[in-house]
């Protein structure tokens, strides 16, 4: 009790799969009764230093040709000194939908298909610019595959439509942006038998080359919601955008080159 009022901490986590593992629901919810709860009852700095508690629910369904999933992410502030405009944006909700169209086998020249990966998100935060973004991303894809080679080329157009509410009147209520991206991702696979400390093994050599072309497009008229640069890593070298989130699309005219080598135990395959 504090000031003759009950104090509480509620934590709930749940995940379920159904429809033959094609559908799921995931819940992660934490709530405290007051801002001083962790200061009074927290064990260690990991709990007493918390400023926000995530309240999250996600549900999704997928088939061989399409997927749809949606989530709601809310935050409870437990730092009474922090103004609401400095907290994270809430996504209420965010919906993803992707669908693959018909494919066309081009004989020895590979396989082509069309698809579209789309999303809608509503960003909310107190005393801040808020708004919704509809992002439509149709693409034409071509894949050429051999036992030793995989080449994937992709032409994608990203159209973002913004519906904004800006109390400071910096941004217009309606903004949009349309940016194309072209990429070619080539992977080569080679292997040889060898011995490591007398044990039979297979060594692989897997070079990879990505060419990425995205024209420079002025995006200063668009607000930045929950967007940032990816950390530099081997994996991020082959991302088709250096930004994570909807707020920005990075321009590029570049090659990324990587090399992976694996040692596999021939008797176990690992």
């Amino acid at each position: 009790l504090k000031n003759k009022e009950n104090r509480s901490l509620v934590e709930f986590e749940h995940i379920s799969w159904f429809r033959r593992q094609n559908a799921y629901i995931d819940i992660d919810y934490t709530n405290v009764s007051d801002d001083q709860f962790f200061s009074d009852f927290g064990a260690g700095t990991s709990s007493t230093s918390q400023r926000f508690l995530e309240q999250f629910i996600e549900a999704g369904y997928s088939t061989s040709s399409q997927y749809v999933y949606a989530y709601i992410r809310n935050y409870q502030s437990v730092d009474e000194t922090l103004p609401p405009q400095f907290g994270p944006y809430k996504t209420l909700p965010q919906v993803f939908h992707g669908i693959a169209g018909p494919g066309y086998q081009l004989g020895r020249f590979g396989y082509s298909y069309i698809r579209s990966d789309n999303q809608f998100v509503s960003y909310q935060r107190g005393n801040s610019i808020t708004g919704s973004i509809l992002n439509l991303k149709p693409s034409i894809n071509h894949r050429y595959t051999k036992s030793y080679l995989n080449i994937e080329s992709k032409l994608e157009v990203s159209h973002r439509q913004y519906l904004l509410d800006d109390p400071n009147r910096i941004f217009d209520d309606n903004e949009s942006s349309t940016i194309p991206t072209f990429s070619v991702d080539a992977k080569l696979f080679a292997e040889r038998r060898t011995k490591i400390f007398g044990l039979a093994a297979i060594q692989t050599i897997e070079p990879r080359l990505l060419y990425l072309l995205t024209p420079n497009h002025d995006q200063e008229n668009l607000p930045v919601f929950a967007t940032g640069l990816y950390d530099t890593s081997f994996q991020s070298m082959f991302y088709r955008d250096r930004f994570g989130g909807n707020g920005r699309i990075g321009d590029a005219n570049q090659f990324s080159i990587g090399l992976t080598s694996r040692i596999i135990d021939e008797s176990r395959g690992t």
Side-chain angles (χ1 to χ4, degrees):
L1 294 176
K2 183 176 184 179
N3 299 326
K4 297 183 179 181
E5 294 183 358
N6 292 325
R7 308 180 71 187
S8 61
L9 165 66
V10 177
E11 290 185 289
F12 179 76
E13 295 183 22
H14 174 78
I15 185 168
S16 290
W17 290 86
F18 44 95
R19 299 282 298 182
R20 297 182 180 179
Q21 301 293 304
N22 288 332
Y24 69 94
I25 184 170
D26 184 8
I27 302 173
D28 189 348
Y29 179 89
T30 305
N31 177 272
V32 293
S33 56
D34 57 88
D35 294 344
Q36 289 79 38
F37 184 91
F38 289 115
S39 298
D40 295 340
F41 300 106
T45 58
S46 61
S47 59
T48 58
S49 62
Q50 290 190 84
R51 308 179 79 178
F52 302 96
L53 301 178
E54 186 179 58
Q55 299 166 347
F56 174 85
I57 180 170
E58 177 180 356
Y61 177 77
S62 63
T63 67
S64 59
S65 61
Q66 66 176 312
Y67 65 86
V68 58
Y69 64 94
Y71 65 78
I72 294 174
R73 178 177 278 114
N74 187 44
Y75 294 92
Q76 179 189 3
S77 173
V78 290
D79 185 350
E80 60 184 359
T81 66
L82 189 68
Q85 63 267 30
F86 294 106
Y89 273 100
K90 304 171 184 178
T91 51
L92 305 172
Q94 187 160 13
V95 182
F96 298 82
H97 177 256
I99 184 169
Y104 304 93
Q105 186 67 46
L106 304 177
R108 61 179 182 175
F109 297 105
Y111 177 79
S112 294
Y113 61 97
I114 58 175
R115 66 173 296 123
S116 185
D117 297 279
N118 315 302
Q119 64 171 293
F120 171 83
V121 58
S122 177
Y123 291 109
Q124 302 296 324
R125 187 171 68 180
N127 299 332
S128 300
I129 179 174
T130 60
S132 302
I133 305 174
L134 176 64
N135 191 355
L136 305 177
K137 298 175 72 173
S139 63
I140 301 174
N141 304 264
H142 181 75
R143 180 177 298 166
Y144 178 80
T145 304
K146 295 289 186 181
S147 60
Y148 57 89
L149 179 66
N150 185 63
I151 301 176
E152 295 188 21
S153 56
K154 182 176 186 178
L155 176 61
E156 178 181 81
V157 177
S158 175
H159 176 77
R160 292 171 293 164
Q161 183 67 49
Y162 289 73
L163 300 175
L164 303 174
D165 183 6
D166 183 7
N168 298 317
R169 301 301 177 186
I170 298 175
F171 300 98
D172 293 338
D173 290 344
N174 290 276
E175 296 280 7
S176 64
S177 172
T178 303
I179 302 176
T181 295
F182 174 72
S183 64
V184 179
D185 191 357
K187 304 174 186 177
L188 184 66
F189 180 85
E191 66 180 25
R192 70 184 183 99
R193 284 186 167 83
T194 185
K195 287 190 176 183
I196 305 295
F197 302 112
L199 298 176
I202 296 174
Q203 180 185 13
T204 70
I205 300 293
E206 304 167 46
R208 182 176 181 183
L209 172 66
L210 171 69
Y211 174 66
L212 182 64
L213 176 63
T214 303
N216 186 17
H217 187 86
D218 186 7
Q219 300 170 73
E220 291 302 317
N221 63 322
L222 304 174
V224 179
F225 292 116
T227 298
L229 289 168
Y230 286 114
D231 293 335
T232 301
S233 66
F234 183 81
Q235 289 77 18
S236 66
M237 289 173 53
F238 298 97
Y239 290 168
R240 288 177 171 82
D241 191 356
R242 64 178 181 269
F243 289 101
N246 283 303
R248 290 293 182 267
I249 295 178
D251 62 302
N253 185 8
Q254 65 190 41
F255 287 94
S256 298
I257 302 174
L259 178 65
T260 300
S261 180
R262 310 174 198 269
I263 303 296
I264 302 171
D265 186 331
E266 191 169 5
S267 63
R268 295 187 299 175
T270 58

